[in-house]
Amino acid sequence: MSSKPKILLVAPTALDYQGNPIKQKKLHLPALTLPMLAAITPEDEADVTLVSETSEDIPFGEHWDLVGLTGMGSGLARAYEIADQFREKKVPVVIGGIAASLCEQEWTLKHADALVIGEAEEVWPEVIADFKANRLKPVYRMERTPDINTLPLPRYDMMNARKLGMWRPVQATRGCPFPCSFCSIQTFFGRRYRKRPVDQVIRDVREAKRSGSRYIVFIDDNIGVDWDYAAELWAALIPEKIIWMSQCSIQITDRPEMLKLAYRSGCRLLSIGVETTNQDSLMTVGKDFNHPSKYKEQIRRMRKFGIDISTEMIIGMDADKHATFNSTYDFIVDNKIAVPRVHILTPVPGTQLYKEMEAENRLISKDIGKFSGGKVVFHPKHITAEALQDNYWKLYEKLYTPRNIFRRLSGSPMNLSPYMRLFLTGVNLHYRGHIKNRITPGIV
């Protein structure tokens, strides 16, 4: 083996309803995993290439010494397919990431030479060193939580700019402290909430801007949990003159001064996990700190300060009945939600919800390719699995008719810039196309 092996790092695309890889011309919301893995790869020890399969082709025909893969949901199933193709060519494969870390080890080791469990910042260089010494181990486990105070600058320069849309990924925090039983994030990070130094985040924002765009998506799972930290970060972002969006809990609306500061810092859209309008359903998944009776006022308050809302909702929780479909539709349309995303309750392997359903013998399938948020993989309590599946797509089709897209977007009180209005319209049309093809919106 040469002293500098050629390493291919691939972010697999998700699979559509028929199990085919989903492709599109641009990657509009890129992840940060590959640029960060490239950054922690010692330059004098390997030549690294990054490929995001959603918008790029995987160079199967080229020579590679080692392939690294990571993916969520059906993306992990696609990673297994890709791994099998490379291993047929006798190319060693390493698979890691949240999904692979939480699944049963043997699921991944059927397809990979090595599995990385946990965060990779300290483990990945060890994997490369072992590979070069011909002593690759089947399992690498994070021994301690990486220090995110000293993360290197992500390799934005290695991302394929021709295949990117306007948004660039930056991370300020990791994890979420809330106990939602369905959430793989709190399972993976152990309900820890870690915050990067603000000056390091600003450094990354500036590098992301140099890559060609001032539109930033903070890929944090909950950017507004620690209000003191958020206030420091958002104040520091004001001079950067960026436009940004992220995920946040709806409790941010309890602090009007934070909403005002977020807007001044460039925030124009927050994705909020409201989950459901049924308080009883929230109680079944450990999210009873949300209060649907307050949602309308909380949304109004957020918009008052210039920030629009994208909602994440779940259908099929244990208190849900047939009326849930209508109440979900009414909530989204009445509140003029710009980008509504709805998922079928999915007991992600490794989560508390998965363990509960497995113990109750309620799982229909353990095929990881079906864990996309758009397929029923368990027996619901008050609806049949068939009715949940059928009505899920009917709800989505109804929400994304041209008339309802127009009603939701034109009826919004937001005074958004022309670009943001164009962006939100484009997302709605993009999702409408996915729904027609039975692709769960938001998985690519």
Side-chain angles (χ1 to χ4, degrees):
M1 183 188 301
S2 66
S3 58
K4 289 185 69 173
K6 288 186 63 180
I7 298 178
L8 176 66
L9 297 177
V10 180
T13 192
L15 301 175
D16 66 16
Y17 216 64
Q18 288 73 42
N20 300 312
I22 301 169
K23 302 288 288 184
Q24 57 193 43
K25 292 181 179 180
K26 295 277 189 178
L27 188 64
H28 297 291
L29 295 177
L32 199 57
T33 304
L34 298 193
M36 183 54 70
L37 285 174
I40 61 175
T41 302
E43 286 193 41
D44 59 342
E45 293 188 18
D47 289 324
V48 178
T49 298
L50 312 183
V51 171
S52 293
E53 192 194 14
T54 301
S55 59
E56 300 175 271
D57 293 330
I58 297 174
F60 286 106
E62 297 183 26
H63 168 77
W64 303 103
D65 295 303
L66 181 68
V67 173
L69 298 160
T70 180
M72 291 288 289
S74 65
L76 180 58
R78 175 59 182 159
Y80 292 164
E81 295 176 355
I82 296 167
D84 290 346
Q85 293 185 60
F86 277 112
R87 294 180 85 204
E88 285 180 5
K89 298 173 179 288
K90 308 301 181 185
V91 180
V93 174
V94 180
I95 295 179
I98 293 176
S101 295
L102 297 181
C103 288
E104 299 293 333
Q105 292 184 23
E106 57 266 25
W107 295 4
T108 297
L109 291 175
K110 288 178 182 178
H111 306 276
D113 298 275
L115 164 65
V116 174
I117 298 174
E119 297 171 65
E121 277 82 6
E122 294 188 3
V123 179
W124 179 240
E126 180 187 353
V127 172
I128 295 175
D130 283 357
F131 168 72
K132 292 180 69 176
N134 292 313
R135 57 170 186 255
L136 198 62
K137 294 179 290 192
V139 177
Y140 291 82
R141 188 182 298 273
M142 178 186 74
E143 297 297 333
R144 61 180 181 179
T145 303
D147 181 7
I148 64 170
N149 294 320
T150 56
L151 293 179
L153 190 67
R155 293 297 303 272
Y156 294 106
D157 60 306
M158 295 182 67
M159 300 173 76
N160 188 345
R162 294 184 301 105
K163 294 292 186 177
L164 295 179
M166 290 294 290
W167 298 89
R168 300 292 184 270
V170 173
Q171 185 176 56
T173 66
R174 283 188 186 177
C176 179
F178 294 144
C180 311
S181 65
F182 58 82
C183 182
S184 60
I185 297 301
Q186 67 96 356
T187 305
F188 180 76
F189 290 109
R191 291 183 63 185
R192 295 187 303 272
Y193 189 68
R194 292 141 62 206
K195 299 154 287 187
R196 297 183 61 212
V198 167
D199 64 332
Q200 297 282 300
V201 180
I202 299 300
R203 176 203 69 179
D204 291 3
V205 165
R206 290 173 179 170
E207 186 68 16
K209 286 164 63 179
R210 276 191 285 271
S211 75
S213 179
R214 72 185 186 104
Y215 292 90
I216 303 296
V217 54
F218 284 101
I219 60 168
D220 302 43
D221 303 297
N222 197 336
I223 199 169
V225 171
D226 186 318
W227 289 333
D228 290 339
Y229 174 79
E232 181 186 356
L233 173 62
W234 297 346
L237 286 174
I238 294 172
E240 301 303 319
K241 300 187 184 304
I242 61 171
I243 300 298
W244 66 269
M245 60 183 179
S246 190
Q247 299 180 104
C248 191
S249 57
I250 202 165
Q251 283 71 28
I252 192 70
T253 60
D254 295 335
R255 297 288 294 268
E257 73 278 10
M258 293 298 297
L259 293 173
K260 183 178 181 180
L261 182 58
Y263 179 83
R264 288 184 60 210
S265 71
C267 180
R268 295 297 180 269
L269 184 71
L270 287 175
S271 176
I272 306 288
V274 298
E275 315 309 355
T276 178
T277 59
N278 185 337
Q279 187 72 52
D280 291 338
S281 290
L282 289 170
M283 294 180 69
T284 67
V285 294
K287 198 163 185 173
D288 48 335
F289 49 84
N290 271 17
H291 301 286
S293 62
K294 298 181 180 180
Y295 285 168
K296 187 170 186 177
E297 171 57 23
Q298 289 171 319
I299 293 169
R300 185 202 66 79
R301 195 178 304 153
M302 198 159 79
R303 285 172 168 161
K304 174 185 175 183
F305 288 93
I307 301 170
D308 208 352
I309 182 171
S310 164
T311 55
E312 307 284 348
M313 301 187 75
I314 296 174
I315 295 284
M317 289 187 274
D318 280 354
D320 284 355
K321 299 179 181 180
H322 283 278
T324 301
F325 297 100
N326 288 333
S327 61
T328 302
Y329 171 83
D330 290 341
F331 167 78
I332 289 170
V333 173
D334 290 347
N335 287 282
K336 310 279 191 289
I337 302 301
V339 183
R341 282 183 288 270
V342 184
H343 306 278
I344 294 172
L345 182 67
T346 302
V348 177
T351 62
Q352 179 185 337
L353 180 64
Y354 181 90
K355 294 173 183 176
E356 290 172 355
M357 288 197 172
E358 187 175 41
E360 295 168 3
N361 199 30
R362 293 175 61 191
L363 295 175
I364 296 173
S365 173
K366 291 188 177 182
D367 178 358
I368 195 66
K370 296 179 179 178
F371 285 68
S372 63
K375 291 188 176 182
V376 182
V377 295
F378 71 102
H379 293 288
K381 280 201 170 180
H382 300 292
I383 323 171
T384 66
E386 294 76 16
L388 176 55
Q389 187 70 76
D390 185 50
N391 284 290
Y392 169 75
W393 288 115
K394 287 180 178 177
L395 170 64
Y396 246 145
E397 288 174 344
K398 192 176 177 183
L399 286 170
Y400 280 86
T401 62
R403 178 174 179 268
N404 274 330
I405 292 175
F406 179 79
R407 286 175 67 190
R408 289 188 286 100
L409 293 180
S410 65
S412 172
M414 297 305 303
N415 183 26
L416 296 172
S417 68
Y419 170 75
M420 283 301 295
R421 285 212 172 272
L422 182 63
F423 169 71
L424 293 176
T425 301
V427 170
N428 273 267
L429 296 176
H430 182 63
Y431 284 176
R432 175 173 162 77
H434 276 189
I435 291 161
K436 283 185 176 180
N437 293 307
R438 294 297 185 260
I439 296 171
T440 309
I443 63 172
V444 291

